[in-house]
Amino acid sequence: MDLDLPEEAVAVQKLCRDFAAKEIAPHAADWSERAYFPVEVFRKLGELGLMGMLVDERYGGTNAGFVSYVAAMEALGAADQSVASAWNAHSTIATLPLATFGTEEQKQRWLVPLATGTHIGAFGLTEPTAGSDAAGIRTTARRVDGGWLLNGTKMFISNAGTAMSLGVTVLAVTGTNADGRKRYGTFFVPDGTPGYAKGQPLRKLGWHAMDTRELVFTDCVLAEDQLIGTEGNGLRQFLAVLDGGRISVAALGLSLAQAALDLAVAHSGDREQFGRPLRQFQAVGHKLADMATEIEAARGLVYRAAWLGDQGRPFSREAAMAKLFASEVANRAASASVQIHGGYGYIRESAISRFYADAKILEIGEGTSEVQRNVIAKLLA
């Protein structure tokens, strides 16, 4: 049993760590305060070949696999969660539907600019009345002469309103079967399509530098070749790529937890009370020990799920376990780190305050913790 990272994963992690230290970490606090989406960073990530890590080389990606992707996420997410979460959404649910189910022409037209990093992608599933219940969406796509007419509203959609956004992949109801069950289709809607409107950026608890908006489609006319995959299979197609998204969010949580621990270790070594460093107090030392232990357990789950994915083996259960545990560990680690920082951790100028605000969404996005538990329980049978 070899638990060391492969050489290629170590190399990409070092590349990302060096890049993050130079291009992300020094600016993260400022971006957060200004709610600024750093387009220049994502263009540079594209130049480094990091915007299509899960996409085949034929379409501008590097096909690095999930293990290398998780290694990269550990480095990027430890510098800033807003950048890493936008990268996560782009790299998984925004590009994988096209990569997995798109036609050759669709891949050349839309996947190539996404994978090479000239543009960033978005995926539209969640609606004002549908989140965990993905099948409950109300956005509709109705067949018309020459294509489809899209109507509906999507909510909490990331990456759709940036200066480098290419468009959004949308899940919509396309009709009903004879037994009354809904049919679904997946469509790509490029920026500038008539009838496609974007709301103002949403003001969030965390992820301040990540673009998140409401999207509205009003008699939005789509051509037939904007349907991705097979009509009627849209929901199944989304669920098929969701496991990769869950691994990605799990890696995001892992990176946050490790950053919280590193900050706590540094602060507890520098800060003195009662004549000695905080770290020398058993109460603080035990907190650090618990954080470190849980993070190592999360790391094992995340990389195990990633490795299974790279081997082409089933990994739905493991991805759900990794996402569930790593996201909850991230929240516990962030909270413990703020406690160790004391008042310094509660001011917005501190790095841990940003990570603390960013942590909660990890238990919600890509399926809530409650949904992950349902998935795991179902797959135990």
Side-chain angles (χ1 to χ4, degrees), residues 114-134:
L114 293 175
T116 55
T118 61
H119 292 77
I120 198 168
F123 186 89
L125 168 69
T126 304
E127 299 183 358
T129 59
S132 295
D133 180 17

Side-chain angles (χ1 to χ4, degrees), residues 330-352:
N331 275 270
R332 288 193 289 270
S335 180
S337 187
V338 169
Q339 189 72 19
I340 290 170
H341 279 76
Y344 289 100
Y346 200 67
I347 59 174
R348 287 174 58 162
E349 286 79 3
S350 69
I352 189 56

Side-chain angles (χ1 to χ4, degrees), residues 27-45:
H27 312 290
D30 175 60
W31 295 337
S32 180
E33 283 297 308
R34 294 191 290 128
Y36 171 73
F37 181 85
V39 172
E40 63 277 13
V41 167
F42 288 91
R43 296 204 188 284
K44 290 177 181 177
L45 287 171

Side-chain angles (χ1 to χ4, degrees), residues 135-170:
I137 63 170
R138 298 178 181 178
T139 296
T140 62
R142 179 172 58 87
R143 278 196 183 275
V144 294
D145 289 341
W148 300 84
L149 199 63
L150 185 68
N151 281 281
T153 301
K154 298 295 182 179
M155 193 63 170
F156 310 128
I157 309 305
S158 300
N159 296 344
T162 77
M164 61 186 296
S165 296
L166 181 67
V168 58
T169 300
V170 176

Side-chain angles (χ1 to χ4, degrees), residues 37 39 43 51 59 90 94-95 98 105-123 158-170 187-193 196 198 211 215 217 222 226 228:
F37 181 85
V39 172
R43 296 204 188 284
M51 291 290 276
Y59 306 109
H90 164 85
T95 57
L98 280 167
E105 192 275 336
Q106 289 173 335
K107 291 176 181 178
Q108 293 294 339
R109 192 183 351 167
W110 298 315
L111 184 59
V112 169
L114 293 175
T116 55
T118 61
H119 292 77
I120 198 168
F123 186 89
S158 300
N159 296 344
T162 77
M164 61 186 296
S165 296
L166 181 67
V168 58
T169 300
V170 176
F187 302 86
F188 190 81
V189 185
D191 264 29
T193 300
Y196 169 29
K198 308 171 189 177
D211 178 82
L215 307 180
F217 304 93
L222 306 178
Q226 287 175 250
I228 301 172

